[in-house]
Amino acid sequence: MTRSTGDAEIPLPPAPPVRVNDYDGFAEEFSAETENNLLNAYHARPAILALAGDVTGRRILDAGCGSGALSADLHDAGATVTGIDSSAGMLALARRRLGEDADLHVGDLGESLPFEDGAFDDVVASLVLHYLEDWGPTLAEMRRVLRPGGRLIASVQHPFVDYAIQNPRPDYFATTSYTDEWSFNGQSYPVTFWRRPLHAMTDAFTAAGFRLTTLSEPQPDPAARELFPKDFQHLSTKMSFLFFVVEVPEP
């Protein structure tokens, strides 16, 4: 592209690249949006907590902790919680929520985790894995930092939903990406997801050395019925998220 200055045309500088999955860029807005909404506050987080059960005294890694809402719930339930996230902006919000002494780390879940072998009783990964193209290194590290008998409790966007919403529909049996546009305060942010078939998910857990114990499609919290009557009915009858509990086998 050029701009004209009389007889001469001067090339315009290239536009800066659009940052995809710019979590720092929308950290404040995303945190506010998901604090008390139906999908996160009354579906995704309660379902993880229900699957976790009694966490009193358990050492839990919140992988992809974001602004710390789930970490706070786990802490309030009696767990000792460590959070890790790739976004410094999200972690700043988490520290504001959890306190200056909160155990929070900036880190990429696709790389080695900065924790010792067997450091945790549980890892929770709420709506995190679907941002990753390759689950292998991430699951291997999660297994490493779990003690024998420890659990990974994870949720992802339902693969059948991700398949059905795309037009044209992708090859179901392939691992493919798609980009959604999230809008906050009139500004649009591209967010890329990776979808894979259900068997690829369970195969990835098995390849990492986990044993699948629970595959769940839970309903939203009934408390949301009066708060979101129309959307509650829709969410209660449609697929949205898929939840897994997998364990590290005992020796």
Side-chain angles (χ1 to χ4, degrees):
M1 182 177 292
T2 62
R3 64 169 175 256
S4 177
T5 58
D7 294 332
E9 289 193 346
I10 302 173
L12 291 175
V18 176
R19 293 187 63 188
V20 178
N21 294 21
D22 181 15
Y23 306 111
D24 286 344
F26 55 71
E28 289 272 5
E29 293 84 355
F30 179 81
S31 181
E33 173 74 19
T34 58
E35 185 73 21
N36 295 298
N37 69 348
L38 175 60
L39 275 176
N40 298 89
Y42 290 90
H43 187 29
R45 292 200 297 271
I48 288 283
L49 294 170
L51 289 169
D54 183 4
V55 296
T56 303
R58 295 182 75 86
R59 302 162 300 162
I60 299 180
L61 174 64
D62 188 355
C65 64
S67 61
L70 180 58
S71 291
D73 290 338
L74 291 165
H75 177 269
D76 291 346
T80 299
V81 184
T82 297
I84 187 168
D85 199 279
S86 64
S87 168
M90 288 287 190
L91 287 177
L93 298 176
R95 192 168 299 282
R96 186 190 309 170
R97 181 198 303 268
L98 300 168
E100 287 301 316
D101 60 345
D103 187 12
L104 299 173
H105 303 259
V106 177
D108 188 335
L109 294 181
E111 300 176 356
S112 298
L113 296 174
F115 310 112
E116 296 182 356
D117 295 0
F120 299 100
D121 301 302
D122 299 307
V123 174
V124 296
S126 179
L127 304 180
V128 170
L129 293 174
H130 50 226
Y131 296 116
L132 304 176
E133 179 179 6
D134 183 2
W135 286 14
T138 300
L139 294 181
E141 276 297 283
M142 289 178 173
R143 187 192 186 284
R144 180 185 65 79
V145 302
L146 280 166
R147 64 166 176 80
R151 305 174 298 172
L152 166 60
I153 305 165
S155 59
V156 296
Q157 295 194 159
H158 203 297
F160 300 165
V161 175
D162 280 356
Y163 173 73
I165 63 175
Q166 295 181 66
N167 186 22
R169 289 183 178 174
D171 175 357
Y172 172 74
F173 294 100
T175 296
T176 58
S177 66
Y178 69 94
T179 300
D180 197 4
E181 294 287 333
W182 290 359
S183 294
F184 302 104
N185 297 327
Q187 184 168 350
S188 183
Y189 297 88
V191 180
T192 294
F193 300 85
W194 288 89
R195 60 145 303 279
R196 67 205 73 223
L198 177 57
H199 78 268
M201 297 181 182
T202 57
D203 287 352
F205 290 126
T206 302
F210 288 105
R211 179 178 60 217
L212 177 65
T213 63
T214 302
L215 178 66
S216 179
E217 298 170 303
Q219 293 286 297
D221 186 338
R225 186 185 303 274
E226 293 185 4
L227 297 172
F228 309 93
K230 182 178 178 180
D231 292 336
F232 180 88
Q233 174 63 21
H234 178 82
L235 187 59
S236 298
T237 58
K238 303 292 190 297
M239 293 177 289
S240 56
F241 303 136
L242 191 62
F243 294 76
F244 300 90
V245 181
V246 295
E247 292 182 349
V248 178
E250 296 276 5

